[in-house]
Amino acid sequence: MDPYKYRPSSAYDSPYWTTNAGGPVWNNDSSLTVGTRGPILLEDYHLVEKIANFTRERIPERVVHARGASAKGFFEVTHDITNLTCADFLRAPGVQTPVIVRFSTVIHERGSPETIRDPRGFAVKFYTREGNFDLVGNNFPVFFIRDGMKFPDVIHAFKPNPKSHIQEYWRVLDFLSHHPESMSTFGFLFDDVGVPQDYRHMEGFGVHAFTLINKAGKVNYVKFHWKPTCGVKCLLEEEAIRVGGSNHSHATKDLYDSIAAGNYPEWKLFIQIMDPDHEDRFDFDPLDDTKTWPEDILPLQPVGRLVLNKNIDNFFAENEQLAFNPALVVPGIYYSDDKMLQGRLFAYSDTQRHRLGPNYLQLPVNAPKCAHHNNHHDGFMNFMHRDEEVNYFPSRFDTVRHAERFPIPPVILKGRREKAVIAKENNFKQPGERYRSFAPDRQERFVCRWVEALSEPRVTHEIRSIWISYLSQADKSLGQKVASRLNVRPSF
């Protein structure tokens, strides 16, 4: 008998009820009792198994990005960038790679409305011939803080008050008043793009600088940009209330219905390239994730297109159990010294091991679609079939060898141990430029959102004054407008 013929799959469902072990169940309606009324017998194995499975059918929700929706499709290379990278899945125009994409809100729980003003996750898993590449980003090109040490703090500040379990912005404004670099991300969060119309009309960004490496070993910094072909659309306050009031899953429904109707969402992938030898030419640190790179100096270069043409088959298996990790890269793509990115390389794999177990990469949605081999062994929920006798390396009984060497950044690392901030902070130039690029009505909405946030009763005069100072340093008129409406004298 082939032991894998009937591997767990609904395609092999029995025509009658069984236990998880395959034993027949002749009555799935009544518990086994003493007499017709009870009590129930503990020996009713099917009842105990059924209840135990039910009470465990929810896994811990993600600490962030708990509310999300996924879809499958492909990435197709449209432009030759082999001069920049030796990544196999980017080897030539026309090459297609299967992908799964998860969109999400960041802060709120699984059942929260999708109309909340919140960053959105935009995570793409490429199932390449050289293993999985996870490009895990957001719909904003920048983040609130620039060091992974502060990530738990910023999330705690945005999460509900631990005493009342109510999200309160005085906590956010208190914490981030100590981090003026957050002005860049507030330039997006309090802008119209803070509430996307849905996932199809939303940009995506890798946020961090990564590195591309070609066959000759030449390294370039890179930033990734996803541009929706149907354009960027947002919900203003009244629209968000109307949409959210009628359907708190409007973005998930829109994504699912669009794909089901054959209206496949599509994004174009662009990159910005910077030679590491040129990074001192800028008035900011290119590896600071609170900064964007100027497109007039480092223009967007087209790479390919992302098409989502298939809905997931099961929400739990392919959305809740779907696990991303920015540490998963492929030869030709590598990390940079971005301090937030460096912290994420551990954090994501660690949270997945906690949430899904140490063998989360064996789950079908997370497993690579190419041949793979290592001696990672056993542990909870390990369902890898193994029949080898040698589980160590090297061995003269096992001919497995190292893979062919591929290039990684060759820079020589030198420096003393220290805890330090980035030298070129330049926290206010880019948010000011962004505000001045808005049309007058958009500027007015931006001002109103700041006034509302700073009007919370528990925002102290000190905190309010600090934020008016930050806003004024970004743009003098912006600070004046907010200050006058709050009846606060700007300190400049």
Side-chain angles (χ1 to χ4, degrees):
M1 181 174 67
D2 181 357
Y4 301 107
K5 184 177 180 181
Y6 298 113
R7 63 190 183 279
S9 169
S10 60
Y12 304 117
D13 276 355
S14 162
Y16 52 83
W17 290 113
T18 74
T19 66
N20 281 350
V25 174
W26 69 270
N27 185 332
N28 193 36
D29 296 313
S30 303
S31 304
L32 185 64
T33 59
V34 178
T36 58
R37 298 185 62 196
I40 293 174
L41 292 171
L42 185 60
E43 69 188 55
D44 189 344
Y45 168 76
H46 177 57
L47 170 69
V48 173
E49 179 185 68
K50 185 176 182 179
I51 297 299
N53 193 87
F54 170 73
T55 59
R56 291 164 173 81
E57 69 183 26
R58 296 290 184 271
I59 60 177
E61 75 172 29
R62 292 166 168 86
V63 176
V64 287
H65 299 276
R67 172 62 137 132
S70 303
K72 295 182 281 190
F74 64 89
F75 174 78
E76 180 180 13
V77 180
T78 56
H79 292 73
D80 185 358
I81 60 166
T82 52
N83 63 312
L84 297 171
T85 178
C86 59
D88 177 74
F89 79 102
L90 299 172
R91 63 188 178 276
V95 172
Q96 290 189 356
T97 300
V99 301
I100 187 167
V101 179
R102 188 174 188 270
F103 306 101
S104 56
T105 57
V106 175
I107 294 300
H108 297 272
E109 60 273 9
R110 265 191 297 228
S112 57
E114 292 179 309
T115 49
I116 289 174
R117 184 169 298 279
D118 195 22
R120 301 301 195 270
F122 193 125
V124 184
K125 186 182 292 290
F126 299 79
Y127 299 107
T128 87
R129 303 193 306 185
E130 294 182 310
N132 293 351
F133 168 45
D134 287 2
L135 182 53
V136 192
N138 288 335
N139 69 321
F140 301 160
V142 288
F143 196 61
F144 293 99
I145 40 117
R146 54 166 70 103
D147 193 310
M149 180 69 80
K150 302 309 299 176
F151 187 73
D153 298 293
V154 70
I155 297 303
H156 285 170
F158 271 94
K159 287 283 191 179
N161 185 322
K163 183 174 182 178
S164 64
H165 199 65
I166 298 171
Q167 188 186 32
E168 297 169 326
Y169 247 78
W170 66 265
R171 292 161 37 81
V172 175
L173 297 173
D174 173 32
F175 170 71
L176 289 176
S177 70
H178 299 275
H179 296 279
E181 67 268 27
S182 63
M183 273 298 303
S184 286
T185 307
F186 274 120
F188 292 85
L189 181 65
F190 282 2
D191 180 26
D192 294 348
V193 297
V195 185
Q197 176 178 293
D198 49 57
Y199 297 131
R200 291 185 300 125
H201 294 89
M202 187 178 84
E203 289 183 291
F205 301 91
V207 181
H208 306 288
F210 289 82
T211 53
L212 294 182
I213 311 166
N214 65 16
K215 289 182 179 178
K218 170 60 180 173
V219 174
N220 281 287
Y221 292 144
V222 61
K223 284 209 171 192
F224 297 99
H225 301 248
W226 296 107
K227 303 290 185 183
T229 58
C230 58
V232 175
K233 295 182 181 180
C234 311
L235 294 175
L236 301 184
E237 276 74 0
E238 291 184 0
E239 296 173 302
I241 292 170
R242 175 181 56 81
V243 171
S246 60
N247 181 3
H248 78 294
S249 300
H250 82 282
T252 296
K253 186 177 189 305
D254 175 82
L255 179 67
Y256 192 94
D257 290 350
S258 297
I259 294 174
N263 181 23
Y264 302 140
E266 182 173 337
W267 288 261
K268 303 293 186 184
L269 177 63
F270 295 87
I271 57 174
Q272 286 179 287
I273 295 296
M274 181 188 295
D275 189 324
D277 293 336
H278 299 165
E279 62 177 287
D280 290 336
R281 298 179 180 180
F282 298 89
D283 60 3
F284 62 91
D285 189 323
L287 304 187
D288 179 352
D289 72 342
T290 70
K291 301 293 185 290
T292 58
W293 292 355
E295 293 180 16
D296 57 336
I297 301 175
L298 304 171
L300 298 180
Q301 302 180 35
V303 177
R305 67 189 188 113
L306 169 70
V307 179
L308 299 181
N309 59 3
K310 189 177 188 305
N311 279 312
I312 56 177
D313 300 311
N314 179 271
F315 184 83
F316 181 79
E318 296 180 300
N319 185 79
E320 291 304 292
Q321 291 194 138
L322 177 57
F324 290 93
N325 182 357
L328 299 184
V329 294
V330 291
I333 302 176
Y334 204 71
Y335 324 116
S336 76
D337 293 339
D338 178 328
K339 290 186 178 183
M340 266 297 297
L341 174 60
Q342 291 283 319
R344 293 176 73 203
L345 300 182
F346 167 75
Y348 278 64
S349 55
D350 192 54
T351 196
Q352 306 300 5
R353 284 188 287 265
H354 165 71
R355 193 174 68 88
L356 297 169
N359 291 299
Y360 71 95
L361 286 173
Q362 290 184 21
L363 294 167
V365 71
N366 300 323
K369 308 309 178 196
C370 59
H372 53 287
H373 177 74
N374 57 56
N375 290 325
H376 299 174
H377 237 266
D378 302 342
F380 290 113
M381 300 302 290
N382 187 309
F383 50 90
M384 175 71 72
H385 171 67
R386 293 184 178 274
D387 61 5
E388 74 272 15
E389 293 182 287
V390 174
N391 59 352
Y392 47 86
F393 178 86
S395 168
R396 291 183 173 82
F397 295 95
D398 189 350
T399 58
V400 66
R401 56 181 172 79
H402 287 120
E404 293 184 16
R405 186 169 183 169
F406 53 84
I408 60 174
V411 62
I412 298 173
L413 302 177
K414 182 181 179 181
R416 66 182 183 185
R417 294 182 179 91
E418 58 184 317
K419 288 177 175 279
V421 298
I422 288 175
K424 290 192 286 189
E425 293 194 59
N426 203 352
N427 295 318
F428 306 109
K429 179 182 178 182
Q430 290 190 3
E433 291 173 342
R434 179 171 174 82
Y435 171 75
R436 288 186 290 275
S437 74
F438 295 164
D441 61 332
R442 191 169 176 179
Q443 287 185 347
E444 173 63 18
R445 290 191 292 271
F446 187 73
V447 168
C448 288
R449 290 168 191 139
W450 269 110
V451 171
E452 180 182 4
L454 291 170
S455 296
E456 281 202 10
R458 293 193 63 180
V459 175
T460 65
H461 177 75
E462 179 188 14
I463 293 172
R464 196 174 290 124
S465 298
I466 289 170
W467 280 108
I468 290 173
S469 169
Y470 292 166
L471 293 165
S472 300
Q473 291 177 75
D475 182 89
K476 188 173 181 179
S477 67
L478 170 61
Q480 288 175 331
K481 289 178 182 178
V482 174
S484 64
R485 297 190 195 186
L486 292 170
N487 198 25
V488 175
R489 177 174 297 181
S491 55
F492 57 83

